[in-house]
Amino acid sequence: MNQKKIAGEKAAEYIKDGMVVGLGTGSTAKFMVDKVGEMVKNGLKIQAIPTSKATEQQARELGIPLLSIDEVDHIDLDIDGVDEIDSEFNATKGGGGALFREKVVADLAKEVIWIMDESKLVDSIGAFPLPLEVLPYGYKIVFKKMEDFGYNPKMRMNGDDLFVTDNGNYIIDLCIGAPADIEDIRQKVNSVVGVLETGQFLKMCKRIIVGTDEGVKIIEAE
Ligand code: 5RP
């Protein structure tokens, strides 16, 4: 059973006519977007906000009506993947480098659903490197500050070049390790000028959908 596929397709069932929907990024979200494309072909009437250029292209090819973030004042439902998540729904995202747009969309959404395979469920987050989107201007200063915090930073690369986000910025991955002191990291990292956004998505959703070999599990926040 493809765990990512069944999670993505199940989440699409929460989309209803008339909704403005945030479309996430990554391999799990891709299955969800495919399903949404099928639903639109079968008559579903929605408008969607993609969280990356890759998702925008996929959605366009599938004929899903799109809006830009500047055209909306609300989003009804956002569905996106995660890199790891604990039982209190503290998540790390940004493995695909789309964290900035993903956070803007999730923050605006009335409801957020994270979709995933079982491997994403962890006791404590921190093993997956925490991405920071940073301005190119002065990024080496930000990098040095992360070294000083002891966060073992690595510049994200694209072959021999620095990885560049859809927004024209760089990514610094912090290899901190689990269990991470989430609140301490949040405060330190957000205090550094030049950090535009982090991959900490803390308690932003009330429902997660996990694909397992026995089928999908829907877990709701207590
Ligand atoms: C992209 C993300 C993705 O949602 C996250 O990396 C999960 O990806 P996948 O579904 O491919 O495992 O945050 O920035």
Side-chain angles (χ1 to χ4, degrees), residues 4 24-30 80-84 92-100 102 115-117 120 128 156 201:
K4 292 186 176 192
T25 296
S27 55
T28 318
K30 199 161 183 288
D80 204 344
V82 293
D83 293 303
E84 56 176 12
T92 304
K93 284 179 52 53
L99 61 134
F100 194 104
E102 289 174 333
I115 51 178
M116 67 205 73
D117 60 45
K120 306 295 177 71
F128 192 92
R156 190 171 300 183
F201 285 62

Side-chain angles (χ1 to χ4, degrees), residues 10-86:
K10 183 71 189 173
E13 291 177 15
Y14 287 80
I15 301 174
K16 305 291 175 222
D17 266 335
M19 281 186 167
V20 177
V21 180
L23 300 176
T25 296
S27 55
T28 318
K30 199 161 183 288
F31 287 119
M32 177 271 297
V33 176
D34 277 340
K35 185 69 187 175
V36 174
E38 194 184 305
M39 290 159 69
V40 165
K41 277 198 185 71
N42 290 330
L44 178 74
K45 299 268 179 292
I46 59 156
Q47 291 178 300
I49 315 276
T51 54
S52 63
K53 289 183 181 169
T55 299
E56 179 178 346
Q57 190 185 334
Q58 184 194 1
R60 240 180 243 296
E61 285 167 8
L62 291 166
I64 301 172
L66 296 177
L67 292 171
S68 92
I69 191 73
D70 297 322
E71 291 176 291
V72 293
D73 59 7
H74 79 284
I75 293 172
D76 295 291
L77 172 64
D78 174 43
I79 304 173
D80 204 344
V82 293
D83 293 303
E84 56 176 12
I85 185 163
D86 69 18

Side-chain angles (χ1 to χ4, degrees), residues 56-213:
E56 179 178 346
Q57 190 185 334
Q58 184 194 1
R60 240 180 243 296
E61 285 167 8
L62 291 166
I64 301 172
L66 296 177
L67 292 171
S68 92
I69 191 73
D70 297 322
E71 291 176 291
V72 293
D73 59 7
H74 79 284
I75 293 172
D76 295 291
L77 172 64
D78 174 43
I79 304 173
D80 204 344
V82 293
D83 293 303
E84 56 176 12
I85 185 163
D86 69 18
S87 58
E88 293 183 358
F89 290 3
N90 295 308
T92 304
K93 284 179 52 53
L99 61 134
F100 194 104
R101 295 187 187 195
E102 289 174 333
K103 198 175 274 187
V104 172
V105 170
D107 187 55
L108 188 60
K110 290 185 201 158
E111 188 188 347
V112 174
I113 300 177
W114 301 142
I115 51 178
M116 67 205 73
D117 60 45
E118 274 181 307
S119 71
K120 306 295 177 71
L121 299 175
V122 296
D123 291 336
S124 314
I125 60 172
F128 192 92
L130 175 66
L132 311 180
E133 179 150 348
V134 298
L135 263 190
Y137 185 87
Y139 78 93
K140 289 189 179 174
I141 299 166
V142 177
F143 189 91
K144 173 76 175 54
K145 288 190 177 166
M146 296 303 146
E147 279 183 329
D148 294 346
F149 289 144
Y151 289 161
N152 194 17
K154 306 262 180 287
M155 289 307 299
R156 190 171 300 183
M157 304 300 293
N158 181 11
D160 291 337
D161 300 321
L162 289 170
F163 176 92
V164 178
T165 70
D166 285 351
N167 314 306
N169 301 310
Y170 298 151
I171 299 260
I172 298 177
D173 287 304
L174 306 180
C175 305
I176 297 172
D181 185 339
I182 297 172
E183 186 50 29
D184 190 55
I185 295 165
R186 191 186 70 74
Q187 284 185 22
K188 286 199 176 108
V189 162
N190 285 311
S191 73
V192 175
V193 175
V195 174
L196 296 168
E197 199 42 83
T198 84
Q200 280 189 328
F201 285 62
L202 306 178
K203 298 181 174 56
M204 290 184 87
C205 76
K206 294 211 160 40
R207 178 181 291 129
I208 66 172
I209 300 184
V210 187
T212 77
D213 288 343

